Amino acid sequence: MVWAMSQRSAGIIEEIEAEILNGKLQPGERLPSEEKLCERFNASRTVIREAIQQLRGRGLLRTTKGSGSYIADPSLDSLTTAMEAYASLVVEAGFMELIDFRILIETECARLAAVHAGESVLKELRQIVATMEKVQGVRAKFSKADIAFHLAIARGSGNRIYAGVLGAVERRCIDYAQTNRGDDDWYSGVIDSHRDILDAISAGLPDRAADAMRRHLLSSKRHFVDLGV
Amino acid sequence: MVWAMSQRSAGIIEEIEAEILNGKLQPGERLPSEEKLCERFNASRTVIREAIQQLRGRGLLRTTKGSGSYIADPSLDSLTTAMEAYASLVVEAGFMELIDFRILIETECARLAAVHAGESVLKELRQIVATMEKVQGVRAKFSKADIAFHLAIARGSGNRIYAGVLGAVERRCIDYAQTNRGDDDWYSGVIDSHRDILDAISAGLPDRAADAMRRHLLSSKRHFVDLGV
DNA sequence: TCGTGAAAGTTGTCATACAGATTTGAGCTG
DNA sequence: CAGCTCAAATCTGTATGACAACTTTCACGA
């Protein structure tokens, strides 16, 4: 049965998407030119282009001017942007759910990083902690370093999905935290927590790393609760 | 500083996206008409429309013909589709990472469900287990029930993010599992595991539920390893 | 007060044209 | 024959104009 489609592009999107998801079109492969697609779907170039734009928005295609549209490599970018969008929109309704989600994943990341993190990640983490001490009190820079710290650990976990998913929610959680507090000893408290985590990871102690991360994030969650979010 | 943008729409997307994500534009609110946006960005309608199409692809806008484009409600749909797309594309490269991700989240869901799940969810779970016994051996139906079981637990966790994220990866993991095995006692093994999980949840024992779920998923992971995925 | 219907506003689609980038390939050079 | 060059072909990006189809608005009349 064919459903009346309010938009010609909707059906085209479905069809191309299906071919990508079931592997008929492989990553890196080129999509037929817009003109060819016009013939195939018997539609104007306008419609074809709108379908391509939406698929680009979903992260399934990348387009090069003068060359063509190509099936995107498996990238976490689209997942990250979608997660970011959801995290933003849901901020009032389910912020606590987002925080719990973050705690679960980051605790696991810390545990894994204690086992898998290489010297380059450890070095990066040490540098970030040093930076945080320097910029103590400067909210924007401190926040940036804070995010970098957590993302570096996620990368150190060796699981790209954790890193991608976290990249999406991290910024929002931390920004939100810092716009709502600026006490002096709060900065040093965060730095101490980070140092604990770093020590456990670099000592290769998974459980201690997980525990330190969990305590750090739970204290941050408590602040939200206190603020009545 | 203004960067040379290969596409006029890129900058427009960024700007509108920012206004949505930082809350300047609220969910449900109407975007200015395409004509107005043309004036504001000093661009042709073609460019404006391409920007809107991409934002629709990202799930940030929904459009009604004859009325306008509206900021989307915080829906997990876009997150789910993005996750699904990633899960499909990544299937060869990082399937194990996806499985680990799933194990982490589902274990937590089982733990939470033991505390939060209401009678309606418990009833649903019991029905699903009963169904699985009936359709034992019929792969498609069994798979469908299997997915339903895990998703019901995710919903029972009380955290919508877990449910949304899982919805994306669940189908792929389970389908993949079942296309690679069909032994007779495998079916009964899965049912036994599910019953263990259900018992722990309905008894309100978080740790036992988490443990049962973890064992269930780890055994499923072992199969993949054995298959040399 | 409550429809009702015309008018205004808005998105969807088509056709055409050209700018600007990339790819291709024929022909030249060594 | 191998490799280079450069022009032609191909392809996407953008602009413009037009009209269809749908929604919203609002003045008018019962």
Side-chain angles (χ1 to χ4, degrees), chain A residues 7 49-50 53-54 56-58 75 97-98 101 159-161 172, chain B residues 7 21 49-50 53-54 56-58 86 97-98 159-162:
Chain A
Q7 307 200 117
R49 279 186 66 79
E50 302 225 322
Q53 298 302 326
Q54 287 205 38
R56 281 187 15 170
R58 295 193 201 180
S75 151
E97 299 173 25
L98 192 63
F101 180 67
N159 187 318
R160 289 164 293 177
I161 296 187
R172 185 143 297 266
Chain B
Q7 308 201 104
L21 295 190
R49 279 186 65 80
E50 302 228 322
Q53 297 303 324
Q54 287 205 36
R56 282 180 36 174
R58 295 193 200 181
Y86 179 73
E97 299 173 25
L98 193 64
N159 187 318
R160 289 164 292 177
I161 296 186
Y162 295 153

PDB file of all heavy atoms in Angstrom, chain A residues 7 49-50 53-54 56-58 75 97-98 101 159-161 172, chain B residues 7 21 49-50 53-54 56-58 86 97-98 159-162:
ATOM      1  N   GLN A   7       5.033  14.996   1.575  1.00  0.00           N
ATOM      2  CA  GLN A   7       6.190  15.541   0.890  1.00  0.00           C
ATOM      3  C   GLN A   7       6.822  14.475   0.009  1.00  0.00           C
ATOM      4  O   GLN A   7       7.065  13.364   0.462  1.00  0.00           O
ATOM      5  CB  GLN A   7       7.232  16.013   1.906  1.00  0.00           C
ATOM      6  CG  GLN A   7       6.650  16.944   2.923  1.00  0.00           C
ATOM      7  CD  GLN A   7       7.733  17.762   3.580  1.00  0.00           C
ATOM      8  OE1 GLN A   7       7.757  18.972   3.453  1.00  0.00           O
ATOM      9  NE2 GLN A   7       8.632  17.097   4.265  1.00  0.00           N
ATOM     10  N   ARG A  49      17.182  17.384  -3.907  1.00  0.00           N
ATOM     11  CA  ARG A  49      18.120  18.102  -3.052  1.00  0.00           C
ATOM     12  C   ARG A  49      17.611  18.176  -1.615  1.00  0.00           C
ATOM     13  O   ARG A  49      18.390  18.065  -0.668  1.00  0.00           O
ATOM     14  CB  ARG A  49      18.382  19.507  -3.606  1.00  0.00           C
ATOM     15  CG  ARG A  49      19.402  19.500  -4.731  1.00  0.00           C
ATOM     16  CD  ARG A  49      19.768  20.896  -5.163  1.00  0.00           C
ATOM     17  NE  ARG A  49      20.465  21.659  -4.138  1.00  0.00           N
ATOM     18  CZ  ARG A  49      21.754  21.515  -3.858  1.00  0.00           C
ATOM     19  NH1 ARG A  49      22.467  20.627  -4.508  1.00  0.00           N
ATOM     20  NH2 ARG A  49      22.314  22.238  -2.929  1.00  0.00           N
ATOM     21  N   GLU A  50      16.317  18.356  -1.443  1.00  0.00           N
ATOM     22  CA  GLU A  50      15.791  18.427  -0.080  1.00  0.00           C
ATOM     23  C   GLU A  50      16.001  17.091   0.631  1.00  0.00           C
ATOM     24  O   GLU A  50      16.334  17.062   1.815  1.00  0.00           O
ATOM     25  CB  GLU A  50      14.312  18.792  -0.108  1.00  0.00           C
ATOM     26  CG  GLU A  50      14.064  20.113  -0.824  1.00  0.00           C
ATOM     27  CD  GLU A  50      13.109  21.017  -0.074  1.00  0.00           C
ATOM     28  OE1 GLU A  50      12.156  20.496   0.505  1.00  0.00           O
ATOM     29  OE2 GLU A  50      13.326  22.241  -0.082  1.00  0.00           O
ATOM     30  N   GLN A  53      19.595  16.987   1.626  1.00  0.00           N
ATOM     31  CA  GLN A  53      19.870  17.867   2.768  1.00  0.00           C
ATOM     32  C   GLN A  53      19.475  17.204   4.071  1.00  0.00           C
ATOM     33  O   GLN A  53      20.206  17.266   5.060  1.00  0.00           O
ATOM     34  CB  GLN A  53      19.106  19.183   2.628  1.00  0.00           C
ATOM     35  CG  GLN A  53      19.486  20.018   1.416  1.00  0.00           C
ATOM     36  CD  GLN A  53      20.954  20.383   1.390  1.00  0.00           C
ATOM     37  OE1 GLN A  53      21.556  20.600   2.427  1.00  0.00           O
ATOM     38  NE2 GLN A  53      21.526  20.424   0.194  1.00  0.00           N
ATOM     39  N   GLN A  54      18.311  16.568   4.072  1.00  0.00           N
ATOM     40  CA  GLN A  54      17.872  15.937   5.324  1.00  0.00           C
ATOM     41  C   GLN A  54      18.777  14.774   5.698  1.00  0.00           C
ATOM     42  O   GLN A  54      19.116  14.588   6.869  1.00  0.00           O
ATOM     43  CB  GLN A  54      16.417  15.469   5.207  1.00  0.00           C
ATOM     44  CG  GLN A  54      15.435  16.624   5.227  1.00  0.00           C
ATOM     45  CD  GLN A  54      14.051  16.187   5.712  1.00  0.00           C
ATOM     46  OE1 GLN A  54      13.931  15.370   6.608  1.00  0.00           O
ATOM     47  NE2 GLN A  54      13.022  16.749   5.105  1.00  0.00           N
ATOM     48  N   ARG A  56      21.835  14.572   4.980  1.00  0.00           N
ATOM     49  CA  ARG A  56      23.058  15.188   5.507  1.00  0.00           C
ATOM     50  C   ARG A  56      22.852  15.583   6.954  1.00  0.00           C
ATOM     51  O   ARG A  56      23.736  15.429   7.796  1.00  0.00           O
ATOM     52  CB  ARG A  56      23.428  16.409   4.664  1.00  0.00           C
ATOM     53  CG  ARG A  56      24.097  16.022   3.381  1.00  0.00           C
ATOM     54  CD  ARG A  56      24.633  17.185   2.570  1.00  0.00           C
ATOM     55  NE  ARG A  56      24.741  18.448   3.250  1.00  0.00           N
ATOM     56  CZ  ARG A  56      25.358  19.500   2.753  1.00  0.00           C
ATOM     57  NH1 ARG A  56      25.935  19.417   1.573  1.00  0.00           N
ATOM     58  NH2 ARG A  56      25.399  20.627   3.396  1.00  0.00           N
ATOM     59  N   GLY A  57      21.671  16.121   7.229  1.00  0.00           N
ATOM     60  CA  GLY A  57      21.381  16.510   8.609  1.00  0.00           C
ATOM     61  C   GLY A  57      21.436  15.316   9.548  1.00  0.00           C
ATOM     62  O   GLY A  57      21.847  15.452  10.692  1.00  0.00           O
ATOM     63  N   ARG A  58      21.076  14.155   9.034  1.00  0.00           N
ATOM     64  CA  ARG A  58      21.114  12.968   9.876  1.00  0.00           C
ATOM     65  C   ARG A  58      22.510  12.376   9.953  1.00  0.00           C
ATOM     66  O   ARG A  58      22.726  11.376  10.623  1.00  0.00           O
ATOM     67  CB  ARG A  58      20.173  11.895   9.315  1.00  0.00           C
ATOM     68  CG  ARG A  58      18.737  12.303   9.365  1.00  0.00           C
ATOM     69  CD  ARG A  58      17.839  11.116   9.112  1.00  0.00           C
ATOM     70  NE  ARG A  58      16.528  11.566   8.674  1.00  0.00           N
ATOM     71  CZ  ARG A  58      15.540  10.752   8.373  1.00  0.00           C
ATOM     72  NH1 ARG A  58      15.721   9.460   8.444  1.00  0.00           N
ATOM     73  NH2 ARG A  58      14.376  11.229   7.986  1.00  0.00           N
ATOM     74  N   SER A  75      30.501   7.704  11.763  1.00  0.00           N
ATOM     75  CA  SER A  75      31.048   8.741  12.626  1.00  0.00           C
ATOM     76  C   SER A  75      30.091   8.996  13.772  1.00  0.00           C
ATOM     77  O   SER A  75      28.888   8.874  13.643  1.00  0.00           O
ATOM     78  CB  SER A  75      31.243  10.017  11.817  1.00  0.00           C
ATOM     79  OG  SER A  75      31.120  11.138  12.648  1.00  0.00           O
ATOM     80  N   GLU A  97      17.583  12.842  34.910  1.00  0.00           N
ATOM     81  CA  GLU A  97      17.789  11.606  34.166  1.00  0.00           C
ATOM     82  C   GLU A  97      19.084  11.685  33.371  1.00  0.00           C
ATOM     83  O   GLU A  97      19.835  10.715  33.267  1.00  0.00           O
ATOM     84  CB  GLU A  97      16.608  11.359  33.233  1.00  0.00           C
ATOM     85  CG  GLU A  97      15.287  11.207  33.987  1.00  0.00           C
ATOM     86  CD  GLU A  97      14.097  11.124  33.053  1.00  0.00           C
ATOM     87  OE1 GLU A  97      14.260  10.730  31.895  1.00  0.00           O
ATOM     88  OE2 GLU A  97      12.976  11.471  33.497  1.00  0.00           O
ATOM     89  N   LEU A  98      19.322  12.864  32.815  1.00  0.00           N
ATOM     90  CA  LEU A  98      20.536  13.051  32.037  1.00  0.00           C
ATOM     91  C   LEU A  98      21.765  12.918  32.933  1.00  0.00           C
ATOM     92  O   LEU A  98      22.775  12.300  32.565  1.00  0.00           O
ATOM     93  CB  LEU A  98      20.507  14.426  31.379  1.00  0.00           C
ATOM     94  CG  LEU A  98      21.558  14.674  30.317  1.00  0.00           C
ATOM     95  CD1 LEU A  98      21.360  13.736  29.147  1.00  0.00           C
ATOM     96  CD2 LEU A  98      21.519  16.117  29.841  1.00  0.00           C
ATOM     97  N   PHE A 101      22.421   9.357  33.820  1.00  0.00           N
ATOM     98  CA  PHE A 101      22.996   8.712  32.643  1.00  0.00           C
ATOM     99  C   PHE A 101      24.495   8.997  32.579  1.00  0.00           C
ATOM    100  O   PHE A 101      25.313   8.107  32.371  1.00  0.00           O
ATOM    101  CB  PHE A 101      22.280   9.255  31.403  1.00  0.00           C
ATOM    102  CG  PHE A 101      22.749   8.695  30.101  1.00  0.00           C
ATOM    103  CD1 PHE A 101      22.541   7.368  29.781  1.00  0.00           C
ATOM    104  CD2 PHE A 101      23.379   9.508  29.180  1.00  0.00           C
ATOM    105  CE1 PHE A 101      22.961   6.853  28.568  1.00  0.00           C
ATOM    106  CE2 PHE A 101      23.800   9.000  27.958  1.00  0.00           C
ATOM    107  CZ  PHE A 101      23.591   7.672  27.661  1.00  0.00           C
ATOM    108  N   ASN A 159      36.607   2.834  24.477  1.00  0.00           N
ATOM    109  CA  ASN A 159      35.313   2.577  23.831  1.00  0.00           C
ATOM    110  C   ASN A 159      34.804   3.876  23.220  1.00  0.00           C
ATOM    111  O   ASN A 159      34.436   4.820  23.923  1.00  0.00           O
ATOM    112  CB  ASN A 159      34.313   2.027  24.846  1.00  0.00           C
ATOM    113  CG  ASN A 159      33.016   1.580  24.198  1.00  0.00           C
ATOM    114  OD1 ASN A 159      32.496   2.265  23.316  1.00  0.00           O
ATOM    115  ND2 ASN A 159      32.485   0.452  24.627  1.00  0.00           N
ATOM    116  N   ARG A 160      34.759   3.898  21.901  1.00  0.00           N
ATOM    117  CA  ARG A 160      34.437   5.152  21.212  1.00  0.00           C
ATOM    118  C   ARG A 160      33.006   5.596  21.431  1.00  0.00           C
ATOM    119  O   ARG A 160      32.663   6.762  21.300  1.00  0.00           O
ATOM    120  CB  ARG A 160      34.692   4.989  19.712  1.00  0.00           C
ATOM    121  CG  ARG A 160      36.164   4.911  19.365  1.00  0.00           C
ATOM    122  CD  ARG A 160      36.362   4.369  17.982  1.00  0.00           C
ATOM    123  NE  ARG A 160      35.951   2.970  17.905  1.00  0.00           N
ATOM    124  CZ  ARG A 160      35.976   2.264  16.776  1.00  0.00           C
ATOM    125  NH1 ARG A 160      36.369   2.828  15.652  1.00  0.00           N
ATOM    126  NH2 ARG A 160      35.595   1.008  16.773  1.00  0.00           N
ATOM    127  N   ILE A 161      32.154   4.639  21.755  1.00  0.00           N
ATOM    128  CA  ILE A 161      30.754   5.008  21.962  1.00  0.00           C
ATOM    129  C   ILE A 161      30.610   5.832  23.233  1.00  0.00           C
ATOM    130  O   ILE A 161      29.898   6.834  23.266  1.00  0.00           O
ATOM    131  CB  ILE A 161      29.875   3.754  22.008  1.00  0.00           C
ATOM    132  CG1 ILE A 161      29.947   3.082  20.644  1.00  0.00           C
ATOM    133  CG2 ILE A 161      28.453   4.111  22.373  1.00  0.00           C
ATOM    134  CD1 ILE A 161      29.017   1.923  20.482  1.00  0.00           C
ATOM    135  N   ARG A 172      26.868  20.500  28.379  1.00  0.00           N
ATOM    136  CA  ARG A 172      25.656  21.067  28.953  1.00  0.00           C
ATOM    137  C   ARG A 172      25.613  20.897  30.471  1.00  0.00           C
ATOM    138  O   ARG A 172      25.269  21.812  31.199  1.00  0.00           O
ATOM    139  CB  ARG A 172      24.435  20.401  28.316  1.00  0.00           C
ATOM    140  CG  ARG A 172      23.124  20.974  28.731  1.00  0.00           C
ATOM    141  CD  ARG A 172      22.187  20.989  27.569  1.00  0.00           C
ATOM    142  NE  ARG A 172      22.657  21.837  26.518  1.00  0.00           N
ATOM    143  CZ  ARG A 172      22.286  23.108  26.405  1.00  0.00           C
ATOM    144  NH1 ARG A 172      21.475  23.652  27.265  1.00  0.00           N
ATOM    145  NH2 ARG A 172      22.745  23.834  25.412  1.00  0.00           N
TER     146      ARG A 172
ATOM    147  N   GLN B   7      29.402  26.691   2.224  1.00  0.00           N
ATOM    148  CA  GLN B   7      27.972  26.725   1.965  1.00  0.00           C
ATOM    149  C   GLN B   7      27.339  27.818   2.796  1.00  0.00           C
ATOM    150  O   GLN B   7      27.560  27.901   3.991  1.00  0.00           O
ATOM    151  CB  GLN B   7      27.341  25.391   2.342  1.00  0.00           C
ATOM    152  CG  GLN B   7      28.056  24.222   1.703  1.00  0.00           C
ATOM    153  CD  GLN B   7      27.165  23.020   1.655  1.00  0.00           C
ATOM    154  OE1 GLN B   7      26.635  22.681   0.605  1.00  0.00           O
ATOM    155  NE2 GLN B   7      26.978  22.396   2.780  1.00  0.00           N
ATOM    156  N   LEU B  21      19.298  25.582  20.919  1.00  0.00           N
ATOM    157  CA  LEU B  21      19.962  24.850  22.003  1.00  0.00           C
ATOM    158  C   LEU B  21      20.112  25.697  23.263  1.00  0.00           C
ATOM    159  O   LEU B  21      20.102  25.174  24.367  1.00  0.00           O
ATOM    160  CB  LEU B  21      21.335  24.351  21.539  1.00  0.00           C
ATOM    161  CG  LEU B  21      21.297  23.318  20.407  1.00  0.00           C
ATOM    162  CD1 LEU B  21      22.662  22.714  20.183  1.00  0.00           C
ATOM    163  CD2 LEU B  21      20.292  22.225  20.709  1.00  0.00           C
ATOM    164  N   ARG B  49      15.867  27.397   2.776  1.00  0.00           N
ATOM    165  CA  ARG B  49      15.175  26.113   2.817  1.00  0.00           C
ATOM    166  C   ARG B  49      16.143  24.954   3.046  1.00  0.00           C
ATOM    167  O   ARG B  49      15.829  24.012   3.767  1.00  0.00           O
ATOM    168  CB  ARG B  49      14.397  25.894   1.518  1.00  0.00           C
ATOM    169  CG  ARG B  49      13.065  26.620   1.504  1.00  0.00           C
ATOM    170  CD  ARG B  49      12.246  26.274   0.273  1.00  0.00           C
ATOM    171  NE  ARG B  49      11.837  24.879   0.242  1.00  0.00           N
ATOM    172  CZ  ARG B  49      10.809  24.401   0.918  1.00  0.00           C
ATOM    173  NH1 ARG B  49      10.106  25.200   1.679  1.00  0.00           N
ATOM    174  NH2 ARG B  49      10.487  23.127   0.830  1.00  0.00           N
ATOM    175  N   GLU B  50      17.328  25.039   2.462  1.00  0.00           N
ATOM    176  CA  GLU B  50      18.289  23.948   2.680  1.00  0.00           C
ATOM    177  C   GLU B  50      18.692  23.902   4.145  1.00  0.00           C
ATOM    178  O   GLU B  50      18.850  22.822   4.716  1.00  0.00           O
ATOM    179  CB  GLU B  50      19.507  24.175   1.785  1.00  0.00           C
ATOM    180  CG  GLU B  50      19.150  24.246   0.314  1.00  0.00           C
ATOM    181  CD  GLU B  50      20.039  23.380  -0.553  1.00  0.00           C
ATOM    182  OE1 GLU B  50      21.234  23.315  -0.255  1.00  0.00           O
ATOM    183  OE2 GLU B  50      19.530  22.777  -1.515  1.00  0.00           O
ATOM    184  N   GLN B  53      15.885  22.219   5.946  1.00  0.00           N
ATOM    185  CA  GLN B  53      15.859  20.778   5.701  1.00  0.00           C
ATOM    186  C   GLN B  53      16.862  20.061   6.587  1.00  0.00           C
ATOM    187  O   GLN B  53      16.563  19.015   7.167  1.00  0.00           O
ATOM    188  CB  GLN B  53      16.178  20.487   4.232  1.00  0.00           C
ATOM    189  CG  GLN B  53      15.180  21.048   3.242  1.00  0.00           C
ATOM    190  CD  GLN B  53      13.775  20.565   3.485  1.00  0.00           C
ATOM    191  OE1 GLN B  53      13.563  19.427   3.875  1.00  0.00           O
ATOM    192  NE2 GLN B  53      12.802  21.430   3.273  1.00  0.00           N
ATOM    193  N   GLN B  54      18.059  20.611   6.691  1.00  0.00           N
ATOM    194  CA  GLN B  54      19.066  19.933   7.508  1.00  0.00           C
ATOM    195  C   GLN B  54      18.675  19.934   8.970  1.00  0.00           C
ATOM    196  O   GLN B  54      18.877  18.951   9.681  1.00  0.00           O
ATOM    197  CB  GLN B  54      20.436  20.603   7.321  1.00  0.00           C
ATOM    198  CG  GLN B  54      21.055  20.295   5.980  1.00  0.00           C
ATOM    199  CD  GLN B  54      22.573  20.411   6.001  1.00  0.00           C
ATOM    200  OE1 GLN B  54      23.226  20.076   6.974  1.00  0.00           O
ATOM    201  NE2 GLN B  54      23.124  20.920   4.900  1.00  0.00           N
ATOM    202  N   ARG B  56      15.723  19.908  10.049  1.00  0.00           N
ATOM    203  CA  ARG B  56      14.692  18.883  10.179  1.00  0.00           C
ATOM    204  C   ARG B  56      15.317  17.513  10.272  1.00  0.00           C
ATOM    205  O   ARG B  56      14.908  16.664  11.062  1.00  0.00           O
ATOM    206  CB  ARG B  56      13.736  18.946   8.978  1.00  0.00           C
ATOM    207  CG  ARG B  56      12.747  20.077   9.094  1.00  0.00           C
ATOM    208  CD  ARG B  56      11.803  20.145   7.913  1.00  0.00           C
ATOM    209  NE  ARG B  56      11.421  18.847   7.381  1.00  0.00           N
ATOM    210  CZ  ARG B  56      10.526  18.665   6.430  1.00  0.00           C
ATOM    211  NH1 ARG B  56       9.913  19.725   5.915  1.00  0.00           N
ATOM    212  NH2 ARG B  56      10.238  17.485   5.989  1.00  0.00           N
ATOM    213  N   GLY B  57      16.344  17.287   9.451  1.00  0.00           N
ATOM    214  CA  GLY B  57      17.037  16.010   9.493  1.00  0.00           C
ATOM    215  C   GLY B  57      17.622  15.735  10.871  1.00  0.00           C
ATOM    216  O   GLY B  57      17.680  14.600  11.320  1.00  0.00           O
ATOM    217  N   ARG B  58      18.042  16.791  11.535  1.00  0.00           N
ATOM    218  CA  ARG B  58      18.611  16.610  12.868  1.00  0.00           C
ATOM    219  C   ARG B  58      17.530  16.484  13.933  1.00  0.00           C
ATOM    220  O   ARG B  58      17.840  16.314  15.110  1.00  0.00           O
ATOM    221  CB  ARG B  58      19.496  17.803  13.226  1.00  0.00           C
ATOM    222  CG  ARG B  58      20.712  17.922  12.356  1.00  0.00           C
ATOM    223  CD  ARG B  58      21.684  18.908  12.938  1.00  0.00           C
ATOM    224  NE  ARG B  58      22.600  19.370  11.911  1.00  0.00           N
ATOM    225  CZ  ARG B  58      23.575  20.238  12.129  1.00  0.00           C
ATOM    226  NH1 ARG B  58      23.728  20.742  13.332  1.00  0.00           N
ATOM    227  NH2 ARG B  58      24.362  20.611  11.144  1.00  0.00           N
ATOM    228  N   TYR B  86      24.168   5.033  13.491  1.00  0.00           N
ATOM    229  CA  TYR B  86      25.543   4.769  13.895  1.00  0.00           C
ATOM    230  C   TYR B  86      25.754   3.290  14.152  1.00  0.00           C
ATOM    231  O   TYR B  86      26.732   2.703  13.714  1.00  0.00           O
ATOM    232  CB  TYR B  86      25.905   5.561  15.144  1.00  0.00           C
ATOM    233  CG  TYR B  86      27.302   5.288  15.599  1.00  0.00           C
ATOM    234  CD1 TYR B  86      28.385   5.802  14.894  1.00  0.00           C
ATOM    235  CD2 TYR B  86      27.549   4.475  16.692  1.00  0.00           C
ATOM    236  CE1 TYR B  86      29.674   5.523  15.273  1.00  0.00           C
ATOM    237  CE2 TYR B  86      28.841   4.192  17.090  1.00  0.00           C
ATOM    238  CZ  TYR B  86      29.905   4.722  16.377  1.00  0.00           C
ATOM    239  OH  TYR B  86      31.176   4.441  16.756  1.00  0.00           O
ATOM    240  N   GLU B  97      32.221  -2.759  21.122  1.00  0.00           N
ATOM    241  CA  GLU B  97      32.036  -1.541  21.915  1.00  0.00           C
ATOM    242  C   GLU B  97      30.549  -1.282  22.127  1.00  0.00           C
ATOM    243  O   GLU B  97      30.113  -0.871  23.203  1.00  0.00           O
ATOM    244  CB  GLU B  97      32.689  -0.355  21.200  1.00  0.00           C
ATOM    245  CG  GLU B  97      34.187  -0.536  21.004  1.00  0.00           C
ATOM    246  CD  GLU B  97      34.808   0.549  20.159  1.00  0.00           C
ATOM    247  OE1 GLU B  97      34.243   1.656  20.099  1.00  0.00           O
ATOM    248  OE2 GLU B  97      35.863   0.286  19.548  1.00  0.00           O
ATOM    249  N   LEU B  98      29.792  -1.554  21.079  1.00  0.00           N
ATOM    250  CA  LEU B  98      28.350  -1.351  21.186  1.00  0.00           C
ATOM    251  C   LEU B  98      27.759  -2.319  22.207  1.00  0.00           C
ATOM    252  O   LEU B  98      26.899  -1.956  23.013  1.00  0.00           O
ATOM    253  CB  LEU B  98      27.715  -1.566  19.813  1.00  0.00           C
ATOM    254  CG  LEU B  98      26.275  -1.103  19.668  1.00  0.00           C
ATOM    255  CD1 LEU B  98      26.195   0.401  19.836  1.00  0.00           C
ATOM    256  CD2 LEU B  98      25.711  -1.508  18.319  1.00  0.00           C
ATOM    257  N   ASN B 159      13.952   5.985  33.754  1.00  0.00           N
ATOM    258  CA  ASN B 159      14.813   6.973  33.095  1.00  0.00           C
ATOM    259  C   ASN B 159      14.616   6.881  31.586  1.00  0.00           C
ATOM    260  O   ASN B 159      14.999   5.896  30.954  1.00  0.00           O
ATOM    261  CB  ASN B 159      16.273   6.721  33.469  1.00  0.00           C
ATOM    262  CG  ASN B 159      17.198   7.824  32.962  1.00  0.00           C
ATOM    263  OD1 ASN B 159      17.050   8.278  31.833  1.00  0.00           O
ATOM    264  ND2 ASN B 159      18.132   8.250  33.792  1.00  0.00           N
ATOM    265  N   ARG B 160      14.035   7.940  31.031  1.00  0.00           N
ATOM    266  CA  ARG B 160      13.661   7.891  29.619  1.00  0.00           C
ATOM    267  C   ARG B 160      14.862   7.830  28.696  1.00  0.00           C
ATOM    268  O   ARG B 160      14.780   7.386  27.551  1.00  0.00           O
ATOM    269  CB  ARG B 160      12.797   9.102  29.280  1.00  0.00           C
ATOM    270  CG  ARG B 160      11.421   9.044  29.886  1.00  0.00           C
ATOM    271  CD  ARG B 160      10.760  10.387  29.850  1.00  0.00           C
ATOM    272  NE  ARG B 160      11.433  11.325  30.750  1.00  0.00           N
ATOM    273  CZ  ARG B 160      11.095  12.596  30.867  1.00  0.00           C
ATOM    274  NH1 ARG B 160      10.109  13.079  30.154  1.00  0.00           N
ATOM    275  NH2 ARG B 160      11.740  13.380  31.702  1.00  0.00           N
ATOM    276  N   ILE B 161      15.985   8.342  29.180  1.00  0.00           N
ATOM    277  CA  ILE B 161      17.168   8.332  28.328  1.00  0.00           C
ATOM    278  C   ILE B 161      17.668   6.912  28.112  1.00  0.00           C
ATOM    279  O   ILE B 161      18.020   6.526  26.997  1.00  0.00           O
ATOM    280  CB  ILE B 161      18.268   9.208  28.940  1.00  0.00           C
ATOM    281  CG1 ILE B 161      17.769  10.650  28.975  1.00  0.00           C
ATOM    282  CG2 ILE B 161      19.551   9.093  28.141  1.00  0.00           C
ATOM    283  CD1 ILE B 161      18.775  11.642  29.422  1.00  0.00           C
ATOM    284  N   TYR B 162      17.673   6.121  29.150  1.00  0.00           N
ATOM    285  CA  TYR B 162      18.060   4.726  28.981  1.00  0.00           C
ATOM    286  C   TYR B 162      17.167   4.059  27.947  1.00  0.00           C
ATOM    287  O   TYR B 162      17.628   3.360  27.053  1.00  0.00           O
ATOM    288  CB  TYR B 162      17.939   3.976  30.314  1.00  0.00           C
ATOM    289  CG  TYR B 162      18.886   4.451  31.382  1.00  0.00           C
ATOM    290  CD1 TYR B 162      18.577   4.320  32.730  1.00  0.00           C
ATOM    291  CD2 TYR B 162      20.103   5.027  31.056  1.00  0.00           C
ATOM    292  CE1 TYR B 162      19.453   4.745  33.719  1.00  0.00           C
ATOM    293  CE2 TYR B 162      20.979   5.461  32.025  1.00  0.00           C
ATOM    294  CZ  TYR B 162      20.648   5.328  33.355  1.00  0.00           C
ATOM    295  OH  TYR B 162      21.498   5.754  34.327  1.00  0.00           O
TER     296      TYR B 162
END
